[in-house]
Amino acid sequence: MIRLRDSNIGPVLTVVFAIVVIWYVASFGMNRAWVMDQAARAGETPGFSEQLAGTMNQDRPVLPAPHQVASELYDGVFDKKITSKRSLVYHGFITLQATFWGFALGIVVGIGLAVIIVLNRAANLTLMPWAIISQTIPVVALAPMIVVLTNAMGADSLMVPKAIIAAYLSFFPVLVSMVKGLTSPDAMQLDLLRTYGASKSQVFWKLRMPASLPYFFASLKIAVAASLVGAIVGELPTGAIAGLGARMLIGSQFGNPMIMWSALFAAAILAAMLIWVVTGIEKAAARAMGGGAA
Amino acid sequence: MLAPGNTVTDTVISAQNLSLTFETNDGPVHALKDVDLEIGKGEFVSFIGPSGCGKTTFLRVIADLEQPTAGSVSVNGMTPEQARKARAYGYVFQAAGLYPWRTIERNIALPLEIMGVSKADQSQRIERVLELVDLAGFGKKYPWQLSGGMQQRASIARALSFDADILLMDEPFGALDEIVRDHLNEQLLALWARTEKTIGFVTHSIPEAVYLSTRIVVMSPRPGRITDIIDSTLPRERPLDIRDTTEFLEIAHRVREGLRAGHEE
Amino acid sequence: MTDNRAARFLLPFAFGVAVIAIWEVIVSTFSIPIAILPAPSAIWAAIKGSGDILLVDWLQTVVRGALNGLWIGTSAGVVTAIAIDRFEFLRRGLLPVANFVAALPIVGVAPIMVMWFGFDWHSKAAVVTVMVFFPILVNTLAGLQDTDRMQRDLMLTYSANYWQTLAKLRLPAAMPFIFNGLKIAATLALIGAIVAEYFGSPTRGMGFRISTEVGRLGIDMVWAEIAVAALSGTALYGAVTLIERGVTFWHPSQRSGRKN
């Protein structure tokens, strides 16, 4: 049983509360210039409470106050029809689709490459450096080219290139974890199987694969977060008009901070939900395999 | 100056009615209960007993790494905390615990740096202490380049470098094989003869306790307490084959009896 | 199959050369237009021809944007980690929050940073700083916590104060963790700088150049920029790895690689 004293809930809530307070103070400070400026033009000097009121509900705030962001989020999620182009649910769903397909593709590629790399020494030396290099190449620079190429090959929507970009970012954590997991059995375990005369394939399926599962599930959290980033990033240079990344772009182009902030927070909430779901899957898998470890 | 064989000396470490109780989920654990002991200057005192008898806890209380719940301890006439702040003792743990990013020399220099010893002074001390543990010439090596026994010797050198009068050692040779252990036991005795330090030594091994000490404190668990204190009749100069003499075996027998008695209570 | 250093370099190198060769052959055989996929030879021509533009873009994005953001974000992350580490309450509260934020698509703050800091490199550095701050913070905190009880007891017996323990024990022991975070940060830095440029940029910078050239169908130039970006990212990651090897030479992972 976790004692309340030992769990982190108290400190975490305190920190979150402190962050909200600091945020309000910052909002006041940063939005104040505009209020004072407007007042100066009208020849007035506003008192503190007027300044306070003026900074907390601007149309184009420098730093929207927490309640503004919350209300904009509520508006975008609940007060719009789901099919409307202004609904955060609609845009979130578009981004989610790309995230999901990218995630799936990333898992397949990650596992596939890991198996090849672990089973073949030459492949290990050849492919692993390129896998690492692939991550040091900023995928956002490749994004427009991926769109061009997929278009040329017959894809007619942005979903394919976005999924590819998302997979580009999410395959690597899966690859690294699977390689670690597949090579995790120690010399003692391998020697034991050798005394049974096990073939390489038997060693793989009976020892390496099961041993790699905890590592695999642990990597899914990182992979899904990376996939979401890829999906959003994929919307930016590709002239997308749908999706949370597209909303950020639109908000920026029209000088409307509230659109940018609500898209950012919607993306954050989406990320949190995805990680929560994947963590649940990880825990279920751990229990199914006899609980504990990893 | 101590005459050989003279066992009446000034008290360096004194414990009176010392008790330490841990509160755990399963109820209180009496790690130490009413321990009384006086250790004199220049003595080599071994603490031996099964797991949970409090021997390590006692050493840690002396070192101010644990605080007693009742009773008192004094080290060099001060409280353990004052003694620790005055750097009155060197502590050797079961694992060598050397920093892998420092050479052996720089590892030995660690306490000296913290205590603000000058660079020139540092090199002098390091050289002297490396020679004492027979590691001269290994100063520039890294810990992972040394064997387990050599690493432990370096750890002892580190504890000696700042000239504390007291050496507290918690099963320092426990992780080493018997041949290395014998060798290190011999070296430790020679070191003790040369430096005349007061040594508190925790061990699991009966031959080790009997071989090294002037006095053997036998402890038993639940609650942690002293069941026997044996003054060794062996001479201070001891070659390794003293372990085959009748005198040695008698003392070892007495230790074993003390352990068994504590176990059966 | 000898595992010597030559093989470790030659195999991936040969693979890369093979890919480029196949690429060149496919483009010329199928007469693929430059607007879809330029051949490596065309890209090389673009690099040679526009060296000055590439340099200006590189300075803007990589040097002024990414590198500045990287050192500012890293310093801020390490300093904050040390500050938090002193106060257990703060650490217990902040670490879960920092872990959570590190998993979010922080790249989304890019448009906000452009709004706050303007079009020039400052907003790019700001985005990179924010993106880099959290992985560094989380990793440094993990590293500072990693010392075992025995090591801390040893410091107690020396009556060492907090700063001595921090400088001589905990910071050196935390280095492998910090470099772990730094490698992640190195890959994020370039992404952050380029993404920020998509939200607003003066008429220079790699992100700017890529989006403009896509519009003009100057795809060979786009690939030239990609090549520079790829080289920069790899060089940065390689530099961090080299420094890591120097600083954490003592760590088991740097000394022997036992592979099953």
Side-chain angles (χ1 to χ4, degrees):
Chain A
M1 195 195 82
I2 300 177
R3 292 216 184 108
L4 204 58
R5 190 170 13 109
D6 298 335
S7 86
N8 287 331
I9 293 186
V12 170
L13 286 178
T14 314
V15 166
V16 171
F17 178 72
I19 290 176
V20 172
V21 168
I22 294 173
W23 184 348
Y24 267 107
V25 171
S27 276
F28 175 71
M30 290 172 80
N31 296 335
R32 199 164 152 264
W34 185 84
V35 171
M36 303 305 282
D37 189 56
Q38 295 291 99
R41 284 169 205 239
E44 297 165 354
T45 32
F48 180 77
S49 53
E50 283 142 338
Q51 289 177 33
L52 195 61
T55 55
M56 293 285 127
N57 263 307
Q58 295 176 5
D59 283 334
R60 286 164 193 244
V62 176
L63 177 63
H67 65 267
Q68 278 184 291
V69 176
S71 113
E72 184 79 18
L73 268 176
Y74 184 87
D75 188 66
V77 172
F78 297 109
D79 281 352
K80 298 274 185 297
K81 287 172 63 156
I82 290 191
T83 47
S84 137
K85 290 282 184 335
R86 297 213 182 163
S87 165
L88 283 173
V89 175
Y90 168 74
H91 290 290
F93 189 67
I94 301 272
T95 304
L96 180 62
Q97 273 184 301
T99 305
F100 175 76
W101 288 112
F103 185 51
L105 184 59
I107 290 177
V108 169
V109 172
I111 295 182
L113 274 179
V115 170
I116 296 174
I117 283 179
V118 165
L119 288 184
N120 184 316
R121 194 89 191 115
N124 183 344
L125 294 176
T126 314
L127 294 178
M128 202 60 188
W130 283 107
I132 298 176
I133 291 178
S134 79
Q135 300 300 294
T136 61
I137 302 176
V139 69
V140 62
L142 283 172
M145 296 297 92
I146 296 178
V147 175
V148 166
L149 285 169
T150 50
N151 273 336
M153 292 200 273
D156 57 351
S157 79
L158 277 180
M159 193 54 64
V160 174
K162 276 164 56 175
I164 293 178
I165 296 169
Y168 189 99
L169 286 183
S170 63
F171 91 90
F172 190 72
V174 176
L175 169 69
V176 167
S177 297
M178 279 303 287
V179 168
K180 213 165 164 198
L182 288 170
T183 54
S184 66
D186 59 18
M188 202 175 72
Q189 292 286 9
L190 293 166
D191 282 346
L192 183 66
L193 286 185
R194 207 175 295 152
T195 71
Y196 297 156
S199 71
K200 208 165 179 193
S201 152
Q202 285 174 318
V203 172
F204 182 81
W205 288 107
K206 291 188 187 302
L207 177 61
R208 291 194 189 274
M209 252 308 176
S212 70
L213 289 179
Y215 292 82
F216 169 70
F217 283 105
S219 76
L220 288 186
K221 286 194 286 280
I222 308 174
V224 82
S227 187
L228 177 62
V229 172
I232 292 178
V233 160
E235 290 167 8
L236 299 176
T238 56
I241 48 169
L244 293 174
R247 287 299 281 170
M248 291 176 200
L249 208 49
I250 289 173
S252 169
Q253 286 165 352
F254 284 100
N256 188 332
M258 292 316 298
I259 297 183
M260 295 186 325
W261 281 92
S262 57
L264 172 62
F265 271 81
I269 293 173
L270 187 56
M273 290 195 312
L274 284 170
I275 294 176
W276 183 73
V277 167
V278 167
T279 307
I281 296 176
E282 180 186 356
K283 291 206 176 110
R287 257 179 282 128
M289 293 193 307
Chain B
M1 222 27 268
L2 292 170
N6 184 345
T7 50
V8 177
T9 55
D10 322 300
T11 304
V12 166
I13 299 172
S14 147
Q16 283 167 333
N17 278 64
L18 186 63
S19 297
L20 207 171
T21 308
F22 291 115
E23 293 297 330
T24 66
N25 281 339
D26 303 315
V29 169
H30 299 285
L32 290 170
K33 198 155 158 101
D34 289 327
V35 170
D36 289 301
L37 188 66
E38 309 247 314
I39 298 179
K41 187 161 166 48
E43 287 201 69
F44 196 128
V45 179
S46 286
F47 298 87
I48 188 165
S51 306
C53 69
K55 54 193 194 297
T56 296
T57 310
F58 186 57
L59 211 72
R60 288 173 66 84
V61 169
I62 297 173
D64 193 38
L65 294 174
E66 309 273 4
Q67 275 68 49
T69 45
S72 68
V73 173
S74 84
V75 179
N76 281 350
M78 303 181 267
T79 65
E81 194 185 343
Q82 289 167 334
R84 179 175 66 81
K85 295 206 168 128
R87 284 102 180 211
Y89 62 85
Y91 204 100
V92 179
F93 291 89
Q94 196 165 358
L98 302 167
Y99 292 175
W101 55 83
R102 287 183 176 229
T103 59
I104 298 294
E105 269 176 4
R106 298 316 310 160
N107 262 296
I108 294 175
L110 178 67
L112 302 175
E113 285 171 13
I114 292 174
M115 298 170 191
V117 171
S118 75
K119 282 278 171 148
D121 219 356
Q122 279 181 27
S123 14
Q124 223 186 44
R125 288 169 178 268
I126 293 170
E127 215 184 295
R128 176 169 55 86
V129 109
L130 273 176
E131 215 241 288
L132 263 180
V133 300
D134 207 19
L135 278 180
F138 285 93
K140 303 256 187 264
K141 298 266 183 206
Y142 285 96
W144 72 78
Q145 293 173 306
L146 266 51
S147 71
M150 293 166 89
Q151 286 185 31
Q152 203 47 303
R153 272 149 60 191
S155 169
I156 294 173
R158 183 179 59 182
L160 291 172
S161 63
F162 49 98
D163 283 335
D165 283 330
I166 301 170
L167 203 56
L168 299 173
M169 306 174 83
D170 186 3
E171 295 192 62
F173 308 140
L176 305 169
D177 71 61
E178 193 159 351
I179 299 164
V180 174
R181 220 177 176 168
D182 281 348
H183 188 58
L184 289 174
N185 280 154
E186 265 188 313
Q187 281 197 320
L188 183 57
L189 266 191
L191 212 133
W192 173 58
R194 264 176 86 171
T195 56
E196 296 178 345
K197 301 217 187 282
T198 310
I199 301 186
F201 188 94
V202 168
T203 178
H204 258 139
S205 156
I206 300 176
E208 193 173 58
V210 178
Y211 178 66
L212 292 173
S213 341
T214 56
R215 228 175 353 142
I216 304 159
V217 175
V218 182
M219 299 178 76
S220 62
R222 287 180 303 276
R225 64 201 183 283
I226 298 179
T227 48
D228 198 4
I229 302 181
I230 304 165
D231 283 307
S232 176
T233 51
L234 298 173
R236 277 174 97 98
E237 301 269 312
R238 303 166 189 181
L240 260 183
D241 51 18
I242 203 174
R243 295 181 300 179
D244 302 321
T245 63
T246 340
E247 206 182 345
F248 188 98
L249 291 170
E250 273 170 8
I251 301 174
H253 182 76
R254 194 173 150 195
V255 173
R256 203 163 285 125
E257 290 293 302
L259 288 170
R260 205 170 295 152
H263 183 65
E264 276 155 15
E265 271 174 31
Chain C
M1 175 94 241
T2 42
D3 197 6
N4 57 29
R5 301 188 70 165
R8 294 188 94 96
F9 175 74
L10 282 176
L11 271 178
F13 183 72
F15 181 77
V17 168
V19 166
I20 292 183
I22 297 175
W23 181 349
E24 181 82 39
V25 165
I26 290 185
V27 169
S28 58
T29 316
F30 293 95
S31 298
I32 300 181
I34 286 194
I36 300 214
L37 184 66
S41 47
I43 299 174
W44 178 241
I47 293 178
K48 277 197 300 184
S50 315
D52 47 346
I53 301 180
L54 290 172
L55 182 63
V56 167
D57 291 338
W58 180 80
L59 282 173
Q60 175 76 358
T61 310
V62 175
V63 177
R64 285 192 215 107
L67 284 181
N68 274 327
L70 194 55
W71 79 257
I72 297 175
T74 303
S75 325
V78 173
V79 166
T80 310
I82 294 177
I84 291 177
D85 175 70
R86 284 212 86 161
F87 304 103
E88 161 123 18
F89 187 84
L90 209 52
R91 185 177 48 80
R92 282 171 58 197
L94 215 58
L95 190 56
V97 174
N99 263 317
F100 175 72
V101 177
L104 302 177
I106 302 201
V107 74
V109 306
I112 296 166
M113 291 296 150
V114 172
M115 186 179 119
W116 285 355
F117 293 100
F119 275 16
D120 209 347
W121 63 267
H122 310 88
S123 52
K124 322 305 179 253
V127 173
V128 174
T129 301
V130 175
M131 282 177 80
V132 156
F133 176 79
F134 289 99
I136 298 274
L137 174 66
V138 165
N139 274 283
T140 308
L141 270 176
L144 287 173
Q145 292 298 117
D146 189 54
T147 39
D148 64 24
R149 184 159 181 221
M150 195 195 83
Q151 289 292 7
R152 281 178 277 139
D153 278 348
L154 186 66
M155 279 304 192
L156 275 177
T157 71
Y158 298 154
S159 190
N161 63 37
Y162 173 82
W163 297 105
Q164 286 171 322
T165 309
L166 183 68
K168 293 183 192 297
L169 171 64
R170 306 174 73 214
L171 272 178
M175 282 300 162
F177 290 80
I178 295 179
F179 273 97
N180 224 20
L182 207 50
K183 282 196 282 208
I184 299 173
T187 55
L188 292 176
L190 227 45
I191 296 181
I194 296 178
V195 165
E197 284 178 359
Y198 285 139
F199 285 100
S201 170
T203 54
R204 55 178 181 276
M206 290 158 78
F208 166 78
R209 192 76 48 201
I210 291 178
S211 43
T212 344
E213 291 294 335
V214 166
R216 290 171 39 182
L217 290 183
I219 306 293
D220 52 345
M221 193 60 193
V222 175
W223 279 99
E225 292 278 356
I226 291 176
V228 174
L231 273 167
S232 306
T234 314
L236 184 58
Y237 187 86
V240 172
T241 310
L242 268 174
I243 301 176
E244 179 189 28
R245 213 171 285 169
V247 172
T248 63
F249 64 92
W250 47 269
H251 196 257
S253 66
Q254 301 288 340
R255 283 191 278 122
S256 61
R258 186 179 62 89
K259 282 254 164 66
N260 285 339

